[in-house]
Structures are given as C-alpha cells and as structure tokens.
Amino acid sequence: MNKTIISVAALSCLAATMQAQKKAAAQRPNIVYIMCDDHAFQCISAYGHAIGKLAPTPNIDRIAERGMRFDKAFVENSLSTPSRACLMTGLYSHQNGQRQLGEGIDTSRTFFTELLQQAGYQTAIIGKWHMGCDPKGFDYYHIYNDQGQYWNPQYRGTDTPDGKYIVEEGYSTDLSTDHAIDFMNHRDKSKPFCLMLHHKAPHRNWQANIKNLGKYDNVEFPMPETFYDDYATRGEAVRTQKMSVTKHMRWEQDFKVPEMLDMNNEDSKDSYNALMGEINRMTPAQRSAWGRYYFPRNRKLLEANLKGKDLDNWKYQAYIRDYMSVIASVDESVGRVLDYLDKNGLTDNTIIVYTSDQGFYMGEHGWFDKRYMYEESLRTPLIISYPGHTKPGSVCHKLVQNIDYAPTFLELAGVKKPQEMVGRSLLPVFDNGDAQKQWRSSIYYHYYDYPTYHMVRKHDGVRTDRYKLIHFYGKGGLDAVPENKYQGIEGTNENNTLKSLISIGYFEPKDNAVNYNELYDLQNDPHELNNLYGKPGYEKITKQLQKELDAYRKAQKVDEY
Ligand code: SGN
Ligand code: CA
C-alpha cells in the first residue's frame, strides 16, 4: 500500500468516527427547563387542586399528559437565589454558599452548564438569573436585572452592548418567551441544546398582562380550610411571621389600591412608592389600560366599606385573581414553547421540565410567600416529559429535590457527575416511577434568611414519606444580624434592605431567641395543624427522625442549626 492510500483510508476512518460522534451527540436529548418564580403547585390544573380547577393551565398540563407529574418534589431552601444555586450546583445551600437571598453563590463551584458545554451542548439562560455573579457555563444569556420587572423589563446579556442593561418594551413573560424561541431558531443545529427559561412571573406583586386583567373577576376561589389557622399547637416562630394575607399584604403594592396611601404611615408610604415605581415604568398606553381596570375596581371596594370576614375575603380573592391572571401568561408561554418544539420535530428528543424555584402559600395558614418547611412552600411543582422514559400521564411519589436536576442533566449528556454533587440523577425514577427501589427515604431542608422580609425564623429539618421533624433556632430580631454574613456591613444590599425595613417598623415588637422542635404526621394531618413533638406515643418516631436529621448534619457538614 502506498502512503497516499494509507492517509486516504485514515482520513475516511477519522471522518466516520467524527460522523458517529456527531450522531451520538445529536441523539443526546435537548433540555428545555422552564422555571417560574413562586409558582405554587396548587395553581396548576394537572395537580387537581381547587384553584387549578377554577383557573386551568392547559399548556402546563400538556407536559403532564405526555410525561410524569411529581407529587413529592421539594426544595432544600425555599427562597429564590438559594434554590437557583441548588439547581446550578447540585449542592445544599451551606455547600454552594448561597444560604440567604443576597449572600452570593460560591463561584468556585462547578455549575452543571459548564460541564454540558464541555460535552458539546449549546447552553442558554433567559429571564431571571438573580444571582450576584454572571451566568457561568452559558453560550447565550439574556437576563433580568436582579428580580426583574413585569413591565418593560431591563435585560442584559451576551447580545447587549458592553453587557449593559437595556429596557425592552412589553410584558416580561412574553418578552422572555420571544427570546427563548429566538434562541432555538438561531441555535447551532449540529449540537444538542440546553435552554433554561426562567420567568419572573408569578412573583410578588402579581402584575398581569393587560389582556388578562380581570380574567377571573367572576370566579370565587374557595378559601383554604386553614386560612384562619390559630397555630394553637405550635411554637412561637409561626406567630411572629409577617406573611398574613389579611395583615401583612400591603394595600398599595399588593392589592394595587393606591387610594389607601396614608401620609402619616411609613409602611404605607413605602408600599405606595413600590407601586408607583412599577406604574412609572409603564408606557402611557399600558398605564391607562392598567388604570381602566384597577380604578373602577378600587372605587367599588372603597364604596362597599367592607369589614371583618367580608374584607378578608375581598383580599383573598384579589390576591388569587391577580396571581392566576399572571399565570395565564405563563401558561401561554409554555404553549408557545411546546408548539415550537412540535413544529420543528424536536419533541421526541427533548426533555421538558416545568418547575418553580419553590412553592408558595395561597392562603394556607392565612399566608402568602414561602420560606417555611411546611408543605406548600417546601413542595414545588415538577412536571417532566422525556419521551421514551416518562410514561404519559404518570405520577411519581418518590422524594425528589432541586439538588437532583444537575446530576440528571449531566447523565442525559453522558457526563459523569462530579463526586462532590450530593443530588441524584432522576433517570431511574423516570423509567420506573414509584417502582424504583433504590431511592432516598428522606430529604434535608434548611432555611437561613432571618431577620428580613416576612420574618421567618431559621430552621432545618427532615421529611420522610410520612413524617416531618423541624428544628427552629437562632437569636431574635436585630440580635441575629451579626450572625449573618453581610447584613451588618455598611454599604451592602443586605444592610440597605435592613435599614429600610427598620425604617418602616418591621422589627417591632422584638422576637425572642428560639430553640425548639415540631413534629408532623403528614398522613393523618396533611395540613400540618397538629404538632406532635413531645406528645406521648411519638417517642420512637421522634428518635428515628432526630437520628436521620443528625446524620444529615454530620455527613453534609452543616455548621449552623
Ligand atoms: C422580595 C419580596 C418578598 C420576597 C422576596 C424573596 N418583597 O423581597 O416578598 O419574599 O423578594 O423572593 S417585594 O416588596 O420586593 O416584592 S424570591 O422569590 O426572590 O426569593
Ligand atoms: Ca421565588
């Protein structure tokens, strides 16, 4: 054989290998990860809850019809940036550094998207990133400023000059969806892609698109049976929160009744300014459409002069109606993404994940917001369709957690999970659902962000299939400030937030130090009204759960509890 023949043979062999590699790469699934901000599972019709039934989400339900609904999906720390840090690293909060809202993720940790990139994926994130650092491991990003805005939001990214924020005219959910579809249209078709679409919606203060204002005004949403929970069996950490729909939601900012402004009240002025900040962002056309809906509604409210339970119900309806009107746009967004995948022949080779950064209280225990380890905020919606793996219309009851996403996506990409990642790939669960034998029997939870908005005390705990043990701890009120990383440091965002909360009287009266446990039997008491800790007959289960909790603390090197 002469030299030329050998090199031609070698070249064609190399070409065949490359072709095979390309084919294998092409067969790895695309990943479409859609995450909302504060979307309660109660508000997705596929979950069968009363709210979802009255305000259906047909497009999100399409994912459930094709795939698997997870009924025991949890976060590790029910707050935005901590949850996003769990997602990116597959690590618990104390390991990835993002324990509190403004603390900052440890950027020396590997983000799963970096590994996907190395494995040949094209990666993108659009919408709410929220973390202090730049997105790491993304070919394309187009992200909001901090929490983002509903109207005419600011975005910056790989496609904005000098990485500066630019205002885009329109409604944020629609705009982010446009960018997501644009990314898919212009993607590198020789590579699999991972698209993360992170909406601002339905975060406080629930600003609906103009076309959806008043969408549910004729619907009367039933109040949850725990709306008037008196917290009788529990410790004091549950009484000192500021998350009550009737007491702590703000007239101006949350209920959008600027007519309630009281110039002698600092909290009212702050709330009015928050609302005005948003109204001033609107174009004249958006603003007048907004006023055309809210002003007559407010006039009617003020004339009615409601009191007691009638007023409570007005507040509850206003909250849920605005929230669900915001969800209408989210559902439309999901429909647009699914249609795009269908029309472009991508559905069969794409895993689609729909979830939220945490759960949310829709009036349960009288609350809005999240943070607590009680079910509605600990639990997050999770619906996954992965053709050929998730059985259409299936429901999974395994205990899964947001630290599991990174290992799952890495396994899909054929990448070995780094040893440090504590989360577990969900692939065996997709294939076998509840029949999967080798799975965890409990999850660990830890919340750290106190004292701040909503005044939820620090706590950690374990949840098994049936029971939950929670430990509340820490100094009370401003005494807890020195224990936090940035709050006491002049010039930081945490310190500025702290000062503004002090100025509106947020820390009065002062909380006490706490150090106690709660125990719930979720089978007999799904609403968690009956704290069993210390009750006769529960010694054995308490001991078991305490052992489990101690094991997590020790194995995962938790340094604060
Ligand atoms: C803001 C909200 C809080 C909310 C946090 C965290 N206040 O501070 O109600 O709990 O975000 O939300 S607001 O007056 O600014 O709306 S998170 O989803 O980012 O964790
Ligand atoms: Ca959130």
Side-chain angles (χ1 to χ4, degrees):
M1 247 193 287
N2 71 34
K3 261 189 179 170
T4 331
I5 296 174
I6 293 173
S7 60
V8 167
L11 271 178
S12 63
C13 182
L14 187 70
T17 316
M18 278 170 67
Q19 201 61 35
Q21 273 175 355
K22 224 169 162 183
K23 207 169 155 216
Q27 279 161 354
R28 288 180 300 172
N30 305 306
I31 299 164
V32 172
Y33 178 89
I34 307 176
M35 182 162 81
C36 274
D37 190 3
D38 295 355
H39 194 179
F41 68 86
Q42 305 92 299
C43 301
I44 294 177
S45 36
Y47 275 98
H49 187 275
I51 298 177
K53 279 189 185 149
L54 289 166
T57 50
N59 290 300
I60 301 175
D61 292 5
R62 271 164 75 188
I63 310 177
E65 281 152 22
R66 296 170 178 185
M68 190 174 259
R69 186 188 86 204
F70 289 79
D71 279 8
K72 288 189 181 131
F74 306 103
V75 292
E76 182 255 341
N77 182 351
S78 183
L79 200 59
S80 171
T81 48
S83 167
R84 288 158 211 269
C86 288
L87 157 69
M88 296 312 298
T89 62
L91 294 167
Y92 292 118
S93 305
H94 67 284
Q95 298 163 335
N96 64 42
Q98 188 88 52
R99 296 175 308 166
Q100 299 181 321
L101 199 65
E103 201 165 358
I105 189 169
D106 174 356
T107 50
S108 71
R109 295 296 193 173
T110 304
F111 290 9
F112 79 87
T113 43
E114 295 177 88
L115 301 175
L116 284 191
Q117 263 187 329
Q118 285 166 22
Y121 269 69
Q122 192 183 15
T123 56
I125 181 159
I126 290 145
K128 185 166 171 176
W129 169 247
H130 201 195
M131 287 189 285
C133 64
D134 271 352
K136 202 164 61 122
F138 290 95
D139 296 297
Y140 173 74
Y141 63 84
H142 197 77
I143 54 171
Y144 296 134
N145 189 356
D146 195 48
Q147 290 275 12
Q149 298 109 347
Y150 277 109
W151 285 104
N152 313 320
Q154 292 176 304
Y155 287 96
R156 82 176 166 89
T158 43
D159 55 352
T160 57
D162 308 322
K164 288 217 173 77
Y165 285 107
I166 291 183
V167 172
E168 290 179 28
E169 191 176 319
Y171 184 67
S172 62
T173 308
D174 297 350
L175 291 170
S176 291
T177 312
D178 295 343
H179 291 300
I181 289 174
D182 222 42
F183 162 75
M184 290 192 283
N185 261 329
H186 295 104
R187 73 187 195 278
D188 175 351
K189 296 210 169 87
S190 69
K191 291 177 167 185
F193 67 91
C194 169
L195 164 67
M196 305 176 83
L197 171 57
H198 291 191
H199 289 298
K200 175 190 174 59
H203 192 272
R204 192 180 186 186
N205 66 343
W206 318 292
Q207 293 277 11
N209 198 350
I210 299 298
K211 66 179 179 189
N212 292 322
L213 285 169
K215 186 174 167 73
Y216 297 109
D217 279 2
N218 294 325
V219 179
E220 190 74 10
F221 291 95
M223 270 189 180
E225 56 188 273
T226 61
F227 193 77
Y228 289 108
D229 187 356
D230 62 2
Y231 319 127
T233 69
R234 296 180 236 229
E236 66 179 277
V238 96
R239 291 189 194 89
T240 50
Q241 42 65 33
K242 294 194 189 290
M243 354 205 290
S244 154
V245 173
T246 57
K247 293 192 208 79
H248 305 116
M249 265 195 186
R250 298 165 117 189
W251 273 116
E252 303 81 1
Q253 179 190 7
D254 295 321
F255 296 120
K256 296 133 193 132
V257 190
E259 295 89 336
M260 294 297 260
L261 170 66
D262 174 357
M263 286 305 282
N264 298 316
N265 180 313
E266 290 308 315
D267 185 72
S268 169
K269 281 198 291 192
D270 191 71
S271 154
Y272 180 84
N273 289 337
L275 180 69
M276 283 308 139
E278 292 182 19
I279 291 179
N280 290 336
R281 297 193 61 78
M282 295 178 183
T283 63
Q286 292 162 351
R287 201 175 300 140
S288 54
W290 191 93
R292 270 199 302 279
Y293 171 69
Y294 281 107
F295 290 137
R297 184 204 69 158
N298 294 354
R299 201 172 313 124
K300 218 169 120 192
L301 163 77
L302 297 171
E303 280 164 12
N305 196 21
L306 301 172
K307 297 263 182 309
K309 290 206 167 164
D310 291 334
L311 182 58
D312 293 352
N313 187 50
W314 186 92
K315 288 182 174 180
Y316 179 70
Q317 299 303 330
Y319 167 38
I320 309 295
R321 284 171 183 162
D322 276 359
Y323 185 105
M324 293 315 295
S325 305
V326 170
I327 292 300
S329 292
V330 169
D331 192 63
E332 189 182 316
S333 162
V334 170
R336 287 179 62 200
V337 172
L338 296 182
D339 288 348
Y340 181 90
L341 296 171
D342 287 348
K343 282 193 191 119
N344 289 277
L346 292 165
T347 302
D348 284 349
N349 195 34
T350 300
I351 174 170
I352 304 166
V353 179
Y354 184 88
T355 189
S356 169
D357 62 342
Q358 8 72 200
F360 213 69
Y361 296 101
M362 305 306 299
E364 298 86 0
H365 312 293
W367 297 336
F368 69 109
D369 213 67
K370 53 265 179 175
R371 299 163 190 265
Y372 279 113
M373 200 188 163
Y374 304 121
E375 286 298 273
E376 293 82 0
S377 77
L378 171 68
R379 241 183 101 176
T380 185
L382 178 64
I383 305 178
I384 299 178
S385 134
Y386 182 24
H389 295 266
T390 50
K391 204 168 135 227
S394 55
V395 178
C396 179
H397 299 91
K398 292 278 178 228
L399 305 170
V400 308
Q401 217 169 3
N402 55 349
I403 48 171
D404 298 334
Y405 302 140
T408 305
F409 298 149
L410 290 177
E411 190 174 353
L412 290 172
V415 179
K416 198 166 176 283
K417 149 184 128 154
Q419 229 180 350
E420 63 168 24
M421 271 190 194
V422 286
R424 295 174 61 164
S425 166
L426 296 173
L427 251 69
V429 175
F430 293 164
D431 289 325
N432 301 320
D434 286 340
Q436 177 60 28
K437 290 277 178 300
Q438 302 288 316
W439 199 249
R440 63 167 74 89
S441 56
S442 67
I443 55 133
Y444 178 67
Y445 182 84
H446 204 150
Y447 174 81
Y448 305 82
D449 207 23
Y450 172 89
T452 188
Y453 282 102
H454 307 297
M455 297 299 273
V456 172
R457 307 302 297 258
K458 298 185 187 211
H459 56 291
D460 75 343
V462 281
R463 187 207 193 277
T464 64
D465 213 35
R466 175 161 178 188
Y467 293 99
K468 190 183 287 182
L469 177 70
I470 316 178
H471 174 238
F472 288 96
Y473 70 92
K475 290 186 177 152
L478 296 174
D479 291 349
V481 171
E483 291 174 349
N484 298 328
K485 200 163 167 190
Y486 295 115
Q487 245 182 345
I489 303 174
E490 198 72 29
T492 59
N493 287 339
E494 316 326 289
N495 193 261
N496 293 337
T497 304
L498 182 73
K499 282 184 190 150
S500 106
L501 292 177
I502 292 173
S503 76
I504 58 170
Y506 221 69
F507 301 99
E508 305 302 331
K510 188 179 159 258
D511 291 349
N512 299 315
V514 290
N515 180 15
Y516 65 86
N517 300 287
E518 289 183 0
L519 170 72
Y520 295 96
D521 175 349
L522 300 163
Q523 189 175 302
N524 291 326
D525 176 28
H527 298 306
E528 300 165 293
L529 298 172
N530 193 12
N531 170 22
L532 299 168
Y533 194 86
K535 296 255 163 74
Y538 293 91
E539 297 81 358
K540 199 167 149 215
I541 184 67
T542 305
K543 220 169 150 190
Q544 272 172 20
L545 291 164
Q546 187 62 54
K547 210 170 140 199
E548 186 86 1
L549 180 55
D550 289 340
Y552 272 112
R553 289 167 174 171
K554 194 163 168 227
Q556 303 303 332
K557 303 190 173 63
V558 183
D559 53 6
E560 175 192 345
Y561 49 86

